[in-house]
Amino acid sequence: MLDERSFFMSHSTPGTSGSDAVPGSLGPSAFAPVDLAALIDSRLDRKKFQDHHWSGTFWEYLDIAAANPGVARNAYQRLYDAIVSCGNEKYRLFKKDVIRYHFFSDPFGNGQDGIFGLDFALMQLVDFLRSASEGYGTDKRILLLHGPVGSSKSTIARLLKKGLEAYSRTPDGALYSFSWLLDEHCEVKPVSGGTDAIKSHEFACPMHEDPLILVPREARDALLLKLNERFRPQHHNGRIRISGEPDPFCRKIYEDLMTFYRGDWRKVMDHVKVRRIVLSEKDRVGIGTFQPKDEKNQDSTELTGDINYRKIAMYGSDSDPRAFNFDGELNIANRGICEFIEVLKLDVAFLYDLLGASQEHTIKPKKFAQTFIDEVILGHTNEPEYKRLQNNEMMEAFRDRTIKIDVPYNIRLDDEIRIYQKDFGPDRIKNIHIAPHTLEIAAMWAVLTRLEEPKKAGLSLLQKLKLYNGKSIPGYTEDSVRELREETLREGMNGISPRYIQDKISNALVSRQAIEERCINPFMVINEIEGGLSHHSLLNDENTKKRFKELLAVVKEEYEDIIKGEVQRAISADEDAIRRLCANYIENVRAYTQKERVKNRYTGRDDEPDERLMRSIEEKIDIPDARKDDFRREIMNYIGALSLDGRKFEYNTNARLYRALELKLFEDQRDTIKLKNLVSSVVDDETQQKIDIVKQRLIKHFGYNETSATDVLNYVASIFARGDSKQR
């Protein structure tokens, strides 16, 4: 027997002492050698890195701008192009043309921040950006996303920042800034014994400005004329514009160099090193984020920068721009976007800075003149804060500079389901089975809480939900659905947040029952939802809580109808039986419409068409006796039209007839299966065999597993045992 030490000694690699082996590992000899360095290197793109870190002279940059004037686009044009370049698709909803921009599906983050169902709001946002790109005035406004908690405002802002970062890494989104080449103290000093200034150290433009801002105003118009002659934007009609002056730091260096070289601008530009920049929130390049904090611990220098007191002694004055850190959020967000989280929670002093930043595109750093900025200013807020803004007469100037875009909750069921599928789909949840319709029922309840009661008599809230989701209901057309939508005042701005549903699904997933059974079902989630309503932090109105609980009863009833329908289809899923029933029905209908008799296969006699059989099928889809002739002629005309097109009529070709056949077969087979016996403890072998077949059909065709299929069969059996024979 080997002791532990002997074991490791005997399993160490040749040439290595046993003490050097890693205890508990199999050792390198257990696997084929792997070159991890080569594996890592194969995933890296050195050429792309070099492209992103290109640097050159100012004159080389002029050649780049001449070949591709788009490198000098402003922030609004760049953000708009980033969105539109990802593509879009068009569709109609509520009888309106809608554009879905793929940018908001998060193609650069594998869909992690994808947004569903807010296409109307996102269209408004993109229209705002296009208007700003073309210089129609909205570029002088603050974009304010307004909506209830959890309606994706922060996600939209995050996507805009993330997408702009990704776009700046592409050839189409390339942009450039510059550095100054001076001596080690950032001063203009001559080379020993020469006439040129020292260029030994590099000092980056602190606000990432475009190198073209260094072109003197006297030459800008001529330069812009040439650039715009070549500028061919794909997605808008904007023009290249060079606005403002360099920031105070760059302006001082520029003036000092112009003085040193006696106005020789070309010599000054030889001190400019142009480099490509990649926008990055983490590196604070072109993307800024500002969040409210305690008023005592926050001041406006966080927006516009502050004095670097350590450098005052070096440069002799606190008004020397070299002794100032231009690193406020509005400074570093230049050329990109600055997000203001919960912007209306900011102290009034901060909002004053936004007035000039939006309207004049300038900010006022301490002890310096107005400084030009080029950036998209984006804020988001919830409704109580916005109402407070509306009631504050002192904030009239801020309101006037704001464009509000409402970001409501989803009111389409399919879009709401997609939110939860992203978080709880099979790709994310591996070890617990989520029974069919679990996410659907939770989403259904969430959407119902957001809908306003329909004004049309006889239309229930659940029917309204189905109409919004594209389902046809007799008596309602696209026009009437559009009217339903337009008669609402605040639909989607109230109700339950997706976060609440996500929390309750998470609770169900970690419950003891889920862990034991490795499965959750809709009732488990409904119970979690109902239990959380009593202490929901945002629900203070007892009437609202009562209404939401009543809506839970509505979705429970809908779920019962859904699973009864699935069990019915599983029982009647015998294709041979349903095909025979269909052939029998069609044979009798043809004889009836042509006033012929039907040959009885057993007796050989010609009999009258089987009226009882035909009516037993037609009644399943509510065809009244007075309309039976019309329905039968409709079926025969349908078969004839298919034949003219060279197509064959099958039992499942006509959806209404197929449903009727399913229900008829279910009625005929239900008694033979004795589904009600499931609730008893004694089931004979023959019945159990038939039940097992039904269960396997539920698993195969409807997505259940063994546990959830058994639960559904038992529950539906209990419904029939109560005598509830309501059919879907």
Side-chain angles (χ1 to χ4, degrees), residues 175-188:
L175 71 161
Y176 298 81
S177 186
F178 62 93
S179 301
W180 294 103
L181 300 176
L182 301 167
D183 81 342
E184 60 181 326
H185 299 298
C186 193
E187 293 181 346
V188 180

Side-chain angles (χ1 to χ4, degrees), residues 33 116 168 199 215 300 367 374 390 452 483 507 528 530 692 707 715:
F116 308 109
S168 72
K199 304 175 185 175
V215 175
S300 59
K367 297 205 172 190
D374 167 31
Q390 288 180 308
E452 296 179 10
E483 290 170 5
N507 289 349
E528 288 287 344
E530 189 169 11
D692 289 341
T707 301
Y715 186 73

Side-chain angles (χ1 to χ4, degrees), residues 674-692:
K674 300 176 183 178
L675 191 61
K676 292 180 183 179
N677 289 345
L678 264 178
V679 297
S680 69
S681 58
V682 180
V683 179
D684 60 78
D685 292 342
E686 183 181 354
T687 301
Q688 186 62 55
Q689 186 177 8
K690 293 177 180 178
I691 289 171
D692 289 341

Side-chain angles (χ1 to χ4, degrees), residues 312-327:
I312 293 176
M314 182 185 301
Y315 298 113
S317 171
D318 61 359
S319 61
D320 190 311
R322 293 171 298 179
F324 193 89
N325 293 329
F326 293 93
D327 59 357

